[in-house]
Structures are given as C-alpha cells and as structure tokens.
Amino acid sequence: MSTRLRFSYSDLHQTIADGVKKIITSDFQFDVILAIGGGGFIPARILRTYIEKPLIAISLARYHPDEPPSEVPHKIQWVEGVNNMITGKRVLLVDEVDDERTTLAFAIGELLAENPAELGVFVMHNKIKVKKAEFPDAVKHVFVGKDIEDVWVDYPWDARDIIQHELDAAKGGILEVDEAEAKAAYRN
Amino acid sequence: MSTRLRFSYSDLHQTIADGVKKIITSDFQFDVILAIGGGGFIPARILRTYIEKPLIAISLARYHPDEPPSEVPHKIQWVEGVNNMITGKRVLLVDEVDDERTTLAFAIGELLAENPAELGVFVMHNKIKVKKAEFPDAVKHVFVGKDIEDVWVDYPWDARDIIQHELDAAKGGILEVDEAEAKAAYRN
C-alpha cells in the first residue's frame, strides 16, 4: 500500500492565490513569469491571473524518450529566442513542487548563467524533507504556496479519471491505495 | 447584463479526455505537443496525461504590454531552440478555444513556414460561429473537445475567486451577470 495526497483543482488554484499574496506583500517584483514544463505550466498560468506579466516556458524532463534515464534533467525546450526576457530582467520561475529539488536546482543553475537581474522562485507545494541542493545566494526570494508532508502527491492534471480524483480530494484527499492501481490511474 | 458560460476544472479535464478519444481513433499520430500560451498551457498539460509526448510551448498575445493593440498577435515566445522538434516532425498544436480563429490561424501560418511533416490542431472548445479564417489545406486534422455556443466563457484558471467559480459551474454554468462585475471577477 502507498499513501497518496490528492488535491482538487480548486484547492490548488486557492493555494496559488495564497502564494501570490506572499509575493505581493514582499519587495520582489518581476518582469516575466517563466514556467518549468511540464509541471509548472498549470500553476504558472493560474498565477498569471493574479499578476499580469508575460508568460513564457522552458521544458525539462528527467527522462528523455530517446536517452537512458539520467539524474541530470534534459532540456526539452530552453531559452533560445526569449533570452531578452531573461538577461537583465527580473524573472519569476514557477514549478508545481519542490521535492528533492533536483529539477529546480538544475533550472536555477542554468538560468543564472543567462544573467537575469533577479531570479525569484515560486513553488505551489514544498515537501518538508531533506533537499539535494540549497538555493544559491543569488536567489533571494522563494515563495511557497503551501508546505506539505513528504508523501506522494497525485495532481488532478495527472488523473486519468478526473471525476474519481475530485471525489477522493473532496473526501479529505489522503488515501492508502494499492500502488499498482494508483500508478495505472495517474500519469506519474 | 451579459451571458457567461462557466465550466469547472473537472468539466474541462473531461472535455479534453473526450477529445483525446477522437485523436486516438483517428489516423493522426504526432511526435510533440505544442501549447499556444497562455490559453493552451492548461489544456496541453492535461492532454499529455493521456498521450505521453514531449510538451513544448509558444506564447502569443493579442496585446503586448509595450505596444499598441493589434489585430495580428505578437510572438512573446516562438520556436527558436525547438525547431528540430517541429521541422520534419508531426506536431499537435493545442489551444483552449477556437473563437474567431485569429490567434490559431496566425500560429498555424507561422508554424507551416517551419515545415513540419504534419500539423494537427486540438482545441478544447470550438465556438459555433463565423470564423475569420479557414484552416489551410495542409492542416488535415482538427480535433475539438466540445462545440459550444457563441457566448463569453469564463475559464476557471481566469477566476480570481475559484470557490465562487466552481459553485457557479456546479449550478449549471450558464449565468446572466453584470458585465462590470464579471470583468472584475476574471482576468479576461
């Protein structure tokens, strides 16, 4: 059996709205929202409802279809063509979850090489756990929608059956499930 | 007063799942999912749950913050750096709604210049109305999640108050509302 957290779409939208309040009451301002795809696409798009800035994307994958699995994420899409929105600009990088921080740390390291004026980070969820990397000193603002415990999260956008997912979320969202069954029911 | 359609997140997820069935039962296969941002980000990410392909994005805006309003969309982010995933490849372009078709027609025209092997289109919603452009002959596959009537749609991701939005959607999702109030309640 495996413990799963299942949040409804509405929960997550609200978590982002709550996180936005932390940005607005901070001294951090930014010129552009940079989503880390795939996971950051939906949080970044929701965030833009509350803070209207141009929205661009990079796309990283831990597993590239044409290559063996790797600890270092692959760049599916990088910043070519939008460097002028990053170099010398204040960028808010958005992802869905800070888990072991592997993808986030990789993205931050690579983006700092593009010389943004400032690089802030927004994550919808932060898992309370030991991370594989610290945020570098250059990243002075890290905003978290909500801290969550270190269990597997099934996000609604990964659900093959969204009606069942939302029912599970409405019942409290924490479940003990058969691992193989959960793997079949979700993309991840 | 103004007529509004308000769909829940769950409705839209299901609409995309229904649209995916049409792709799977067609003879169209593709190598990459290309989201048109901002509107296509969320539909494209949900679609990827059902058909696992690399997800990349372009970003277009009818109104660029630094320029006067224009009938021709501006390229906020284009295909530099991912041309190798477009030229000679089969691309599925994803957007949230085919309304007057302005943005979609612009994106298609520009993308065909990149010489994809095939370019298919997926829209979550198609508004039944006169369009400003026809799909070019080169686009042989257009998939629609659901046809809807030609009224203003308030999407959940544009809601400033998601709890109210989901309540409205649960009550049937069609409302007569004060226009100024609706404009304040949604990003668009």
Side-chain angles (χ1 to χ4, degrees):
Chain A
M1 299 296 278
S2 156
T3 305
R4 303 274 166 152
L5 271 177
R6 294 188 179 158
F7 295 99
S8 72
Y9 271 115
S10 183
D11 280 341
L12 299 180
H13 189 117
Q14 190 58 52
T15 295
I16 291 160
D18 294 342
V20 164
K21 286 179 201 148
K22 299 176 193 172
I23 301 176
I24 290 172
T25 56
S26 78
D27 61 351
F28 181 66
Q29 294 192 315
F30 55 94
D31 305 301
V32 63
I33 303 166
L34 178 58
I36 303 182
F41 269 41
I42 292 178
R45 177 59 190 75
I46 295 170
L47 188 144
R48 199 188 62 162
T49 289
Y50 297 97
I51 307 179
E52 179 72 39
K53 296 287 174 189
L55 174 58
I56 58 177
I58 53 177
S59 193
L60 300 174
R62 296 289 293 278
Y63 303 94
H64 190 286
D66 303 334
E67 294 173 40
S70 155
E71 262 304 290
V72 179
H74 296 268
K75 293 173 178 170
I76 304 284
Q77 179 168 29
W78 195 239
V79 299
E80 292 87 351
V82 289
N83 314 62
N84 68 327
M85 300 178 82
I86 293 175
T87 304
K89 298 295 169 80
R90 297 164 304 177
V91 177
L92 182 67
L93 184 66
V94 177
D95 208 352
E96 96 273 46
V97 61
D98 179 358
D99 192 313
E100 293 185 328
R101 200 172 285 161
T102 307
T103 301
L104 208 48
F106 175 81
I108 289 168
E110 296 290 301
L111 285 169
L112 288 175
E114 305 289 332
N115 295 308
E118 215 172 335
L119 182 62
V121 173
F122 178 92
V123 290
M124 185 174 67
H125 286 151
N126 172 53
K127 284 193 185 172
I128 300 165
K129 67 192 293 183
V130 175
K131 308 293 182 177
K132 289 198 172 166
E134 295 293 312
F135 287 114
D137 290 343
V139 175
K140 299 201 191 314
H141 292 88
V142 178
F143 303 98
V144 171
K146 182 152 71 174
D147 289 311
I148 61 171
E149 55 182 314
D150 182 24
V151 298
W152 190 277
V153 181
D154 291 324
Y155 286 108
W157 41 84
D158 285 322
R160 296 192 199 283
D161 180 346
I162 190 59
I163 293 167
Q164 185 59 50
H165 175 91
E166 295 279 312
L167 284 173
D168 291 343
K171 281 187 231 154
I174 186 149
L175 293 91
E176 294 295 325
V177 296
D178 177 77
E179 187 145 0
E181 225 168 85
K183 276 203 172 161
Y186 288 84
R187 192 190 70 93
N188 277 317
Chain B
M1 299 297 277
S2 158
T3 304
R4 304 274 166 150
L5 273 177
R6 294 186 178 159
F7 295 99
S8 71
Y9 272 114
S10 182
D11 279 343
L12 299 179
H13 189 117
Q14 190 58 52
T15 295
I16 292 161
D18 294 343
V20 164
K21 286 179 201 148
K22 299 175 194 173
I23 301 176
I24 290 171
T25 55
S26 79
D27 62 351
F28 180 67
Q29 293 193 314
F30 55 93
D31 304 301
V32 64
I33 304 167
L34 178 58
I36 304 183
F41 269 41
I42 292 178
R45 178 57 190 76
I46 295 170
L47 187 145
R48 198 188 62 161
T49 290
Y50 297 98
I51 307 179
E52 178 74 37
K53 294 288 174 189
L55 173 59
I56 58 176
I58 53 176
S59 191
L60 300 174
R62 295 290 292 278
Y63 302 96
H64 190 284
D66 303 335
E67 293 174 38
S70 157
E71 263 303 291
V72 180
H74 296 268
K75 292 174 179 170
I76 305 283
Q77 179 169 28
W78 195 241
V79 299
E80 292 87 352
V82 289
N83 315 63
N84 67 326
M85 301 179 80
I86 293 177
T87 304
K89 298 296 168 84
R90 300 165 302 176
V91 177
L92 181 68
L93 184 65
V94 177
D95 208 353
E96 96 272 48
V97 61
D98 180 358
D99 191 316
E100 293 184 329
R101 201 170 287 162
T102 307
T103 300
L104 208 48
F106 174 81
I108 289 168
E110 297 290 301
L111 284 169
L112 288 175
E114 306 288 331
N115 296 309
E118 215 172 336
L119 181 63
V121 173
F122 178 92
V123 289
M124 185 175 66
H125 286 152
N126 172 53
K127 283 192 185 174
I128 300 163
K129 66 192 295 182
V130 175
K131 309 292 184 179
K132 290 200 171 163
E134 295 292 313
F135 287 114
D137 290 343
V139 174
K140 300 203 192 314
H141 293 89
V142 178
F143 303 98
V144 171
K146 181 152 71 175
D147 288 311
I148 61 171
E149 54 181 317
D150 182 23
V151 299
W152 190 277
V153 182
D154 292 324
Y155 287 108
W157 43 83
D158 284 323
R160 297 193 198 285
D161 181 345
I162 189 60
I163 294 167
Q164 185 60 51
H165 175 91
E166 295 280 311
L167 284 172
D168 291 343
K171 280 185 231 156
I174 186 149
L175 293 92
E176 294 294 325
V177 296
D178 177 77
E179 186 144 0
E181 226 167 84
K183 276 203 171 161
Y186 288 83
R187 193 189 71 92
N188 279 318

